[in-house]
Amino acid sequence: MTATSLRTAVVIGCGTTGTSVALALTTAGVDVALIDQDPRATDEAVALGAGAAWTSRRPPADLVVVATPPSEVVDTLYSAQSRGLGNVYTDTAGTKEIVSAEAELRGCDLKGYVPGHPLAGPDAPGPAADAADADRFVDRPWILCPYETTPDWALETVAALIRLCGADRLYLAPHVHDRIVAELSHGPHLVAAALSTRFADSSSAFLGLADQGLRDAVRTAGGDPWLWSDLLAHNAGPVADVLERIADQLAGAAAILREGDDSAPLELALTLEEGRRGETALRQAGDLRTTRDARTGGRV
Protein backbone atom coordinates (compact mmCIF):
# COMPACT_ATOMS: atom_id res chain seq x y z
CA MET A 1 0.00 0.00 0.00
CA THR A 2 1.27 3.44 -0.87
CA ALA A 3 0.61 6.55 1.21
CA THR A 4 -1.92 7.77 -1.34
CA SER A 5 -3.85 4.45 -1.19
CA LEU A 6 -4.60 4.91 2.50
CA ARG A 7 -8.05 6.35 1.91
CA THR A 8 -10.01 5.79 5.13
CA ALA A 9 -9.08 5.66 8.81
CA VAL A 10 -10.68 5.50 12.24
CA VAL A 11 -8.94 7.21 15.16
CA ILE A 12 -10.02 6.04 18.61
CA GLY A 13 -9.05 8.54 21.28
CA CYS A 14 -9.28 12.27 20.66
CA GLY A 15 -6.53 13.47 22.96
CA THR A 16 -3.52 15.41 21.72
CA THR A 17 -1.95 12.42 19.97
CA GLY A 18 -5.08 11.01 18.38
CA THR A 19 -6.32 14.39 17.20
CA SER A 20 -2.88 15.23 15.79
CA VAL A 21 -2.84 11.95 13.85
CA ALA A 22 -6.33 12.67 12.55
CA LEU A 23 -5.38 16.22 11.53
CA ALA A 24 -2.33 14.95 9.63
CA LEU A 25 -4.43 12.37 7.80
CA THR A 26 -7.28 14.71 6.90
CA THR A 27 -4.74 17.26 5.66
CA ALA A 28 -3.42 14.49 3.36
CA GLY A 29 -6.91 13.79 2.04
CA VAL A 30 -7.75 10.70 4.12
CA ASP A 31 -11.38 10.27 5.20
CA VAL A 32 -11.12 10.07 9.01
CA ALA A 33 -13.76 8.98 11.51
CA LEU A 34 -13.32 9.82 15.20
CA ILE A 35 -14.30 7.93 18.35
CA ASP A 36 -13.85 8.91 21.99
CA GLN A 37 -15.57 7.90 25.22
CA ASP A 38 -16.10 11.59 25.92
CA PRO A 39 -18.44 13.11 23.31
CA ARG A 40 -17.00 16.54 24.06
CA ALA A 41 -13.53 15.37 23.01
CA THR A 42 -14.96 14.08 19.73
CA ASP A 43 -16.80 17.36 19.15
CA GLU A 44 -13.63 19.37 19.78
CA ALA A 45 -11.64 17.24 17.33
CA VAL A 46 -14.37 17.58 14.70
CA ALA A 47 -14.41 21.35 15.22
CA LEU A 48 -10.65 21.41 14.56
CA GLY A 49 -11.18 19.71 11.21
CA ALA A 50 -9.72 16.36 12.31
CA GLY A 51 -12.54 14.32 10.78
CA ALA A 52 -16.16 13.36 11.39
CA ALA A 53 -17.74 11.46 14.26
CA TRP A 54 -17.83 7.71 13.54
CA THR A 55 -21.19 6.10 12.77
CA SER A 56 -22.11 2.44 12.39
CA ARG A 57 -22.95 3.07 8.73
CA ARG A 58 -19.28 3.42 7.85
CA PRO A 59 -17.65 0.43 6.13
CA PRO A 60 -14.43 -1.03 7.59
CA ALA A 61 -11.59 1.50 7.33
CA ASP A 62 -8.21 0.81 5.79
CA LEU A 63 -6.62 1.58 9.16
CA VAL A 64 -7.70 1.97 12.79
CA VAL A 65 -5.43 3.96 15.13
CA VAL A 66 -5.91 3.30 18.85
CA ALA A 67 -4.70 6.47 20.59
CA THR A 68 -5.62 5.69 24.20
CA PRO A 69 -3.55 5.35 27.39
CA PRO A 70 -1.62 2.05 27.61
CA SER A 71 -4.05 0.49 30.11
CA GLU A 72 -6.93 0.90 27.64
CA VAL A 73 -5.22 -0.18 24.42
CA VAL A 74 -5.89 -3.92 24.50
CA ASP A 75 -9.57 -3.64 25.52
CA THR A 76 -10.08 -0.97 22.86
CA LEU A 77 -8.26 -3.01 20.22
CA TYR A 78 -10.20 -6.19 21.01
CA SER A 79 -13.52 -4.32 20.87
CA ALA A 80 -12.63 -2.55 17.61
CA GLN A 81 -11.58 -5.80 15.95
CA SER A 82 -14.70 -7.58 17.20
CA ARG A 83 -16.84 -4.84 15.66
CA GLY A 84 -14.90 -4.97 12.42
CA LEU A 85 -13.99 -1.28 12.41
CA GLY A 86 -11.03 -1.74 10.07
CA ASN A 87 -8.65 -4.00 8.19
CA VAL A 88 -5.39 -3.03 9.91
CA TYR A 89 -4.86 -1.75 13.45
CA THR A 90 -2.08 0.09 15.26
CA ASP A 91 -1.70 2.03 18.51
CA THR A 92 0.29 4.98 19.82
CA ALA A 93 0.92 3.91 23.41
CA GLY A 94 4.24 4.87 24.99
CA THR A 95 4.97 1.34 26.21
CA LYS A 96 5.08 -1.75 24.06
CA GLU A 97 6.14 -4.98 25.81
CA ILE A 98 3.14 -5.33 28.15
CA VAL A 99 0.67 -4.06 25.54
CA SER A 100 1.98 -6.49 22.91
CA ALA A 101 1.90 -9.44 25.31
CA GLU A 102 -1.58 -8.60 26.61
CA ALA A 103 -2.95 -8.32 23.07
CA GLU A 104 -1.69 -11.83 22.36
CA LEU A 105 -3.11 -13.24 25.60
CA ARG A 106 -6.46 -11.53 25.02
CA GLY A 107 -6.83 -13.20 21.64
CA CYS A 108 -6.61 -10.10 19.47
CA ASP A 109 -6.03 -10.63 15.75
CA LEU A 110 -2.27 -10.20 15.67
CA LYS A 111 -2.03 -10.49 11.87
CA GLY A 112 -3.85 -7.22 11.51
CA TYR A 113 -2.24 -5.40 14.47
CA VAL A 114 1.07 -3.54 14.38
CA PRO A 115 2.07 -2.08 17.79
CA GLY A 116 3.49 1.42 17.37
CA HIS A 117 4.60 4.54 19.19
CA PRO A 118 5.25 8.02 17.72
CA LEU A 119 7.96 9.70 19.80
CA ALA A 120 6.41 13.13 20.00
CA GLY A 121 5.61 13.32 23.71
CA PRO A 122 2.54 12.14 25.65
CA ASP A 123 -0.82 13.84 25.51
CA ALA A 124 -0.84 17.31 27.02
CA PRO A 125 -3.25 18.09 29.86
CA GLY A 126 -6.47 19.84 28.96
CA PRO A 127 -8.41 19.92 25.69
CA ALA A 128 -6.68 18.50 22.62
CA ALA A 129 -7.51 21.75 20.85
CA ASP A 130 -4.81 23.43 22.94
CA ALA A 131 -1.96 21.22 21.68
CA ALA A 132 -3.07 19.10 18.70
CA ASP A 133 -1.10 19.82 15.53
CA ALA A 134 -1.00 18.19 12.10
CA ASP A 135 2.79 18.70 12.07
CA ARG A 136 3.34 17.15 15.50
CA PHE A 137 5.12 14.10 14.06
CA VAL A 138 7.13 15.68 11.25
CA ASP A 139 10.74 14.39 11.31
CA ARG A 140 10.05 12.59 14.58
CA PRO A 141 10.76 8.86 15.08
CA TRP A 142 7.74 6.56 14.89
CA ILE A 143 8.60 3.18 16.41
CA LEU A 144 6.98 -0.02 15.16
CA CYS A 145 7.24 -3.28 17.14
CA PRO A 146 5.64 -5.88 14.86
CA TYR A 147 5.18 -9.52 15.77
CA GLU A 148 7.26 -12.13 13.96
CA THR A 149 4.09 -13.21 12.12
CA THR A 150 3.01 -9.70 11.05
CA PRO A 151 2.30 -9.79 7.30
CA ASP A 152 3.76 -7.29 4.86
CA TRP A 153 0.35 -5.90 3.93
CA ALA A 154 -0.27 -4.80 7.53
CA LEU A 155 3.18 -3.21 7.79
CA GLU A 156 2.67 -1.39 4.50
CA THR A 157 -0.60 0.11 5.71
CA VAL A 158 0.95 1.45 8.93
CA ALA A 159 3.99 2.64 6.98
CA ALA A 160 1.60 4.68 4.83
CA LEU A 161 0.23 6.31 8.00
CA ILE A 162 3.74 7.22 9.14
CA ARG A 163 4.66 8.73 5.77
CA LEU A 164 1.51 10.86 5.73
CA CYS A 165 2.36 12.12 9.22
CA GLY A 166 5.86 13.05 8.04
CA ALA A 167 7.58 10.81 10.61
CA ASP A 168 10.59 8.49 10.37
CA ARG A 169 9.78 4.79 10.70
CA LEU A 170 12.01 2.68 12.96
CA TYR A 171 11.68 -0.97 13.98
CA LEU A 172 12.51 -2.12 17.51
CA ALA A 173 11.78 -5.14 19.67
CA PRO A 174 9.20 -4.24 22.36
CA HIS A 175 11.61 -4.70 25.28
CA VAL A 176 14.26 -2.55 23.56
CA HIS A 177 11.68 0.18 22.92
CA ASP A 178 10.65 0.19 26.57
CA ARG A 179 14.24 0.39 27.80
CA ILE A 180 14.96 3.33 25.49
CA VAL A 181 11.90 5.36 26.51
CA ALA A 182 12.65 4.61 30.17
CA GLU A 183 16.09 6.19 29.73
CA LEU A 184 15.05 9.12 27.55
CA SER A 185 11.59 10.00 28.84
CA HIS A 186 9.99 8.05 31.67
CA GLY A 187 12.86 8.08 34.16
CA PRO A 188 13.73 11.76 33.54
CA HIS A 189 10.06 12.69 34.00
CA LEU A 190 9.97 11.15 37.47
CA VAL A 191 13.26 12.85 38.36
CA ALA A 192 11.83 16.19 37.25
CA ALA A 193 8.64 15.53 39.23
CA ALA A 194 10.61 14.65 42.37
CA LEU A 195 12.67 17.82 42.04
CA SER A 196 9.53 19.90 41.49
CA THR A 197 7.92 18.65 44.70
CA ARG A 198 10.50 20.72 46.56
CA PHE A 199 8.73 23.88 45.38
CA ALA A 200 5.04 22.93 45.55
CA ASP A 201 4.40 24.95 48.72
CA SER A 202 7.13 27.56 48.41
CA SER A 203 6.43 31.28 48.36
CA SER A 204 6.37 33.08 45.04
CA ALA A 205 8.95 35.55 46.40
CA PHE A 206 11.38 32.67 46.92
CA LEU A 207 10.62 30.97 43.61
CA GLY A 208 11.03 34.25 41.78
CA LEU A 209 14.77 33.93 42.41
CA ALA A 210 15.01 30.73 40.34
CA ASP A 211 16.86 30.98 37.04
CA GLN A 212 15.81 29.55 33.70
CA GLY A 213 18.02 26.49 34.15
CA LEU A 214 15.87 25.19 36.99
CA ARG A 215 12.66 25.96 35.12
CA ASP A 216 13.95 23.99 32.12
CA ALA A 217 14.97 21.07 34.34
CA VAL A 218 11.47 20.64 35.78
CA ARG A 219 9.42 21.63 32.74
CA THR A 220 8.27 18.09 31.92
CA ALA A 221 6.80 17.71 35.41
CA GLY A 222 3.87 19.79 34.17
CA GLY A 223 2.40 16.77 32.37
CA ASP A 224 -0.93 15.19 33.29
CA PRO A 225 -0.29 13.06 36.45
CA TRP A 226 -2.92 10.45 35.57
CA LEU A 227 -1.69 9.93 32.03
CA TRP A 228 1.91 9.71 33.20
CA SER A 229 1.16 7.32 36.08
CA ASP A 230 -0.60 4.96 33.65
CA LEU A 231 2.37 5.13 31.31
CA LEU A 232 4.96 4.58 34.04
CA ALA A 233 3.08 1.64 35.55
CA HIS A 234 3.20 -0.11 32.17
CA ASN A 235 6.98 0.30 32.00
CA ALA A 236 7.70 -0.34 35.66
CA GLY A 237 10.82 -2.52 35.45
CA PRO A 238 12.90 -0.42 33.02
CA VAL A 239 11.90 2.82 34.77
CA ALA A 240 12.81 1.40 38.18
CA ASP A 241 16.23 0.42 36.81
CA VAL A 242 16.85 3.99 35.61
CA LEU A 243 15.74 5.52 38.91
CA GLU A 244 17.93 3.16 40.95
CA ARG A 245 21.02 4.09 38.94
CA ILE A 246 20.30 7.80 39.34
CA ALA A 247 19.58 7.36 43.05
CA ASP A 248 22.92 5.58 43.50
CA GLN A 249 24.74 8.46 41.79
CA LEU A 250 23.00 11.05 43.95
CA ALA A 251 23.60 9.04 47.12
CA GLY A 252 27.27 8.82 46.22
CA ALA A 253 27.47 12.58 45.72
CA ALA A 254 25.71 13.18 49.04
CA ALA A 255 28.17 10.91 50.83
CA ILE A 256 31.13 12.78 49.32
CA LEU A 257 29.69 16.09 50.52
CA ARG A 258 28.91 14.73 54.00
CA GLU A 259 32.43 13.40 54.46
CA GLY A 260 33.93 16.73 53.46
CA ASP A 261 37.33 15.31 52.49
CA ASP A 262 39.88 17.41 50.63
CA SER A 263 39.30 15.13 47.63
CA ALA A 264 35.60 16.08 47.43
CA PRO A 265 36.01 18.65 44.62
CA LEU A 266 37.88 16.13 42.46
CA GLU A 267 35.39 13.33 43.11
CA LEU A 268 32.43 15.60 42.37
CA ALA A 269 34.14 16.93 39.26
CA LEU A 270 34.23 13.41 37.80
CA THR A 271 30.46 13.12 38.03
CA LEU A 272 29.92 16.65 36.80
CA GLU A 273 32.23 16.06 33.83
CA GLU A 274 30.31 12.94 32.82
CA GLY A 275 27.13 14.96 33.12
CA ARG A 276 28.57 17.63 30.87
CA ARG A 277 29.52 14.99 28.31
CA GLY A 278 25.95 13.68 28.39
CA GLU A 279 24.49 17.17 27.90
CA THR A 280 26.80 17.74 24.94
CA ALA A 281 25.79 14.44 23.37
CA LEU A 282 22.10 15.25 23.77
CA ARG A 283 22.54 18.73 22.34
CA GLN A 284 24.48 17.48 19.33
CA ALA A 285 21.91 14.76 18.66
CA GLY A 286 19.20 17.43 18.80
CA ASP A 287 20.90 19.26 15.96
CA LEU A 288 20.26 16.34 13.58
CA ARG A 289 17.48 16.98 11.11
CA THR A 290 16.15 13.42 11.29
CA THR A 291 17.08 10.22 13.09
CA ARG A 292 18.45 8.86 9.80
CA ASP A 293 21.31 11.36 10.07
CA ALA A 294 22.56 9.86 13.34
CA ARG A 295 25.74 7.83 13.51
CA THR A 296 25.54 4.33 14.91
CA GLY A 297 27.45 3.08 17.93
CA GLY A 298 27.43 3.99 21.59
CA ARG A 299 25.31 2.45 24.28
CA VAL A 300 21.58 2.40 24.98
Side-chain angles (χ1 to χ4, degrees), residues 2 17 60 165 169 186 190 195 232 277 281:
T2 63
T17 298
C165 289
R169 176 175 28 136
H186 301 169
L190 270 175
L195 181 57
L232 294 166
R277 287 179 54 234

Side-chain angles (χ1 to χ4, degrees), residues 68-232:
T68 66
S71 61
E72 300 174 18
V73 167
V74 174
D75 285 344
T76 303
L77 173 66
Y78 185 85
S79 174
Q81 289 183 331
S82 299
R83 296 158 65 190
L85 295 190
N87 300 318
V88 178
Y89 298 78
T90 189
D91 73 287
T92 65
T95 60
K96 293 273 75 84
E97 188 168 27
I98 289 179
V99 169
S100 297
E102 286 183 348
E104 186 170 6
L105 290 172
R106 182 68 184 275
C108 295
D109 177 12
L110 302 185
K111 288 186 178 179
Y113 169 50
V114 184
H117 177 212
L119 297 185
D123 279 8
D130 294 341
D133 184 357
D135 295 328
R136 178 178 176 84
F137 312 105
V138 172
D139 289 339
R140 296 296 301 159
W142 195 306
I143 309 299
L144 295 182
C145 303
Y147 298 92
E148 292 183 359
T149 56
T150 301
D152 289 342
W153 53 265
L155 288 173
E156 290 170 1
T157 299
V158 180
L161 160 72
I162 295 172
R163 287 195 296 271
L164 290 176
C165 289
D168 298 322
R169 176 175 28 136
L170 296 174
Y171 290 103
L172 291 175
H175 71 282
V176 175
H177 165 278
D178 287 1
R179 187 154 55 95
I180 288 174
V181 295
E183 293 278 4
L184 299 181
S185 175
H186 301 169
H189 180 86
L190 270 175
V191 172
L195 181 57
S196 293
T197 62
R198 306 289 301 170
F199 314 118
D201 299 314
S202 298
S203 69
S204 57
F206 166 65
L207 296 179
L209 301 175
D211 64 15
Q212 190 59 44
L214 176 60
R215 301 178 198 280
D216 290 340
V218 302
R219 179 178 54 82
T220 60
D224 188 311
W226 296 108
L227 292 175
W228 270 101
S229 61
D230 185 86
L231 188 64
L232 294 166

Side-chain angles (χ1 to χ4, degrees), residues 186-298:
H186 301 169
H189 180 86
L190 270 175
V191 172
L195 181 57
S196 293
T197 62
R198 306 289 301 170
F199 314 118
D201 299 314
S202 298
S203 69
S204 57
F206 166 65
L207 296 179
L209 301 175
D211 64 15
Q212 190 59 44
L214 176 60
R215 301 178 198 280
D216 290 340
V218 302
R219 179 178 54 82
T220 60
D224 188 311
W226 296 108
L227 292 175
W228 270 101
S229 61
D230 185 86
L231 188 64
L232 294 166
H234 271 71
N235 200 18
V239 174
D241 290 342
V242 172
L243 295 179
E244 286 170 354
R245 288 196 300 272
I246 294 173
D248 287 345
Q249 286 182 302
L250 293 177
I256 291 170
L257 292 169
R258 290 288 185 196
E259 291 168 3
D261 293 342
D262 292 341
S263 62
L266 176 60
E267 294 180 77
L268 291 172
L270 294 175
T271 297
L272 295 172
E273 174 58 25
E274 187 172 3
R276 184 169 68 170
R277 287 179 54 234
E279 187 278 333
T280 299
L282 277 171
R283 177 161 36 83
Q284 291 175 344
D287 292 337
L288 299 174
R289 193 181 68 84
T290 73
T291 53
R292 291 189 297 270
D293 301 324
R295 63 181 178 86
T296 57

